[in-house]
Amino acid sequence: MKILIILPNWLGDAIMTTPAIELLAQKYPHARFTFVGSYVAIEALKHHPLCERAIVDETKKASSRFLATYKLAKELGVFNLAITFRNQLHSSLLLYFTGTVLTIARRSWHSRFLLSHTPKIETNQHLVIQYAKLAMVNVDDFNEKSIPPLKLYIEPKQFAQPTLGINAGATYGSAKRWYPERFAEVAAQYANRYEIVIFGGPNEVEMAAEIEENLKKLGVTNYTNLAGQTTIEELCANIGGCSLFITNDSGPMHVAAAYQVPTIAIFGPTRHKETSQWANEKSKIVRHEMDCSPCMKRECPLKHHECMKSITASEVIEAVEDLKA
């Protein structure tokens, strides 16, 4: 059973497809997956034991994306089933051009004309549920209660000491980011109980350096700054080995959920009911209800950022204590 899966671009969204992928693996025990997606999505999910091929989609870089999509589809060939978790014209075209008969995508103007199964899925539910319903569209007895937790097949790192992970970044935009000095204040509170690891991507090195400077001012020395220094595989392994994780709504937040790491997630402008940690009983959300939220903007459109600015370090520390109780 050859199954083509087009993954979402964002790391967190890609990880939120993993329960749907596990459901497909259960439904088709002899499945062989081909994953197509962004570099970060492929690096995180290519380790699945049923993954036969993992291809980074670079059609966007081509002078003619339409032609590049056609060529990629012909290179991939025909599948028994093909599904895209992207709601995007070129992903529908990619499935269509493979010549696969059973093709699945969320309903849109393009998928309805190009693909065989295009369910209308309500967006006012967790994204994991949306992805699972999409994958199980042709399964009559599908039950939401059967959706498994997130799953990554990268071995977690074994730290010598209990470790607190700090992730102040959020690739989507500044509106989702809490403040480096407040992350440092929380980390300092637990420096006598945990080794501290600061995480961040290549574009978050400066932010991580601010946390580091604030930790120094608070007299904390037992930290390691890994921002910009890890591959996606190393990022997942390191987060998976943490004893506690404090993060914004971000891809690393979902990595932590995949490893069931106790997590405090700080939410501002995004829909926490749709993108919070899935099936991690050891997680808590810190957020403030605002008239203007969730705005879903990359930057605060009102320029005050109160959804994040009003969250104090003491609130996050209190959430940690509640989680540990």
Side-chain angles (χ1 to χ4, degrees):
M1 180 72 174
K2 294 174 60 181
I3 300 177
L4 172 64
I5 296 177
I6 313 300
L7 299 168
N9 288 325
W10 300 99
L11 175 62
D13 287 11
I15 293 171
M16 283 190 281
T17 68
T18 60
I21 292 169
E22 294 306 312
L23 287 170
L24 287 168
Q26 293 170 20
K27 179 67 177 176
Y28 306 106
H30 301 293
R32 290 171 291 153
F33 294 131
T34 293
F35 295 143
V36 174
S38 67
Y39 174 78
V40 293
I42 292 298
E43 286 299 299
L45 271 63
K46 69 181 183 181
H47 305 276
H48 194 289
L50 299 181
C51 177
E52 191 173 58
R53 297 179 72 189
I55 299 169
V56 176
D57 180 5
E58 297 187 308
T59 58
K60 193 174 183 179
K61 298 178 182 178
S63 56
S64 170
R65 189 171 187 185
F66 181 88
L67 181 58
T69 300
Y70 178 82
K71 289 181 176 179
L72 175 58
K74 294 309 173 185
E75 176 192 329
L76 290 169
V78 180
F79 291 82
N80 301 106
L81 182 156
I83 179 171
T84 176
F85 290 112
R86 298 184 200 167
N87 185 22
Q88 194 249 1
L89 170 61
H90 288 92
S91 63
S92 292
L93 285 169
L94 181 61
L95 267 57
Y96 175 77
F97 286 147
T98 63
T100 301
V101 174
L102 178 53
T103 51
I104 302 170
R106 187 190 294 269
R107 181 168 299 177
S108 64
W109 69 265
H110 48 81
S111 66
R112 288 178 66 188
F113 288 104
L114 295 168
L115 307 178
S116 67
H117 290 66
T118 58
K120 185 178 180 180
I121 296 174
E122 297 296 329
T123 57
N124 60 345
Q125 54 192 328
H126 201 285
L127 200 52
V128 165
I129 298 175
Q130 296 180 48
Y131 288 149
K133 285 183 174 179
L134 187 61
M136 296 289 104
V137 66
N138 60 339
V139 177
D140 294 331
D141 59 349
F142 170 64
N143 188 330
E144 287 183 26
K145 294 181 180 178
S146 67
I147 301 175
L150 307 184
K151 180 70 173 179
L152 289 174
Y153 288 89
I154 298 168
E155 194 68 26
K157 181 173 181 176
Q158 300 297 317
F159 288 104
Q161 302 293 331
T163 301
L164 165 61
I166 296 290
N167 176 61
T171 305
Y172 182 75
S174 62
K176 291 175 70 172
R177 296 174 188 151
W178 201 43
Y179 300 96
E181 66 274 13
R182 298 186 191 181
F183 274 107
E185 188 177 342
V186 175
Q189 178 73 19
Y190 296 100
N192 61 339
R193 284 179 258 180
Y194 298 96
E195 295 295 310
I196 298 164
V197 177
I198 305 167
F199 293 98
N203 296 324
E204 295 157 355
V205 171
E206 186 175 337
M207 188 181 309
E210 284 187 55
I211 296 175
E212 187 173 351
E213 287 303 312
N214 278 279
L215 286 173
K216 289 177 181 176
K217 291 176 184 176
L218 294 168
V220 177
T221 58
N222 59 325
Y223 65 82
T224 302
N225 186 351
L226 294 180
Q229 300 180 39
T230 59
T231 63
I232 297 299
E233 182 176 349
E234 289 167 343
L235 174 72
C236 294
N238 278 276
I239 291 174
C242 287
S243 311
L244 175 65
F245 197 61
I246 301 176
T247 179
N248 296 319
D249 173 23
S250 61
M253 179 189 76
H254 297 291
V255 173
Y259 293 100
Q260 297 289 296
V261 176
T263 301
I264 303 297
I266 303 164
F267 274 73
T270 47
R271 299 186 183 100
H272 66 286
K273 292 181 180 179
E274 295 176 25
T275 60
S276 59
Q277 285 200 324
W278 175 258
N280 184 1
E281 295 180 359
K282 305 167 188 175
S283 67
K284 284 185 71 70
I285 291 173
V286 178
R287 64 178 293 272
H288 288 175
E289 190 68 40
M290 310 283 293
D291 290 339
C292 55
S293 67
C295 71
M296 302 301 294
K297 301 295 185 182
R298 292 175 183 266
E299 298 179 4
C300 176
L302 302 177
K303 308 300 182 185
H304 57 56
H305 205 210
E306 281 299 316
C307 62
M308 282 299 206
K309 192 176 291 182
S310 61
I311 297 173
T312 65
S314 60
E315 285 181 80
V316 175
I317 291 168
E318 183 179 346
V320 173
E321 294 305 314
D322 288 344
L323 189 67
K324 291 161 61 68

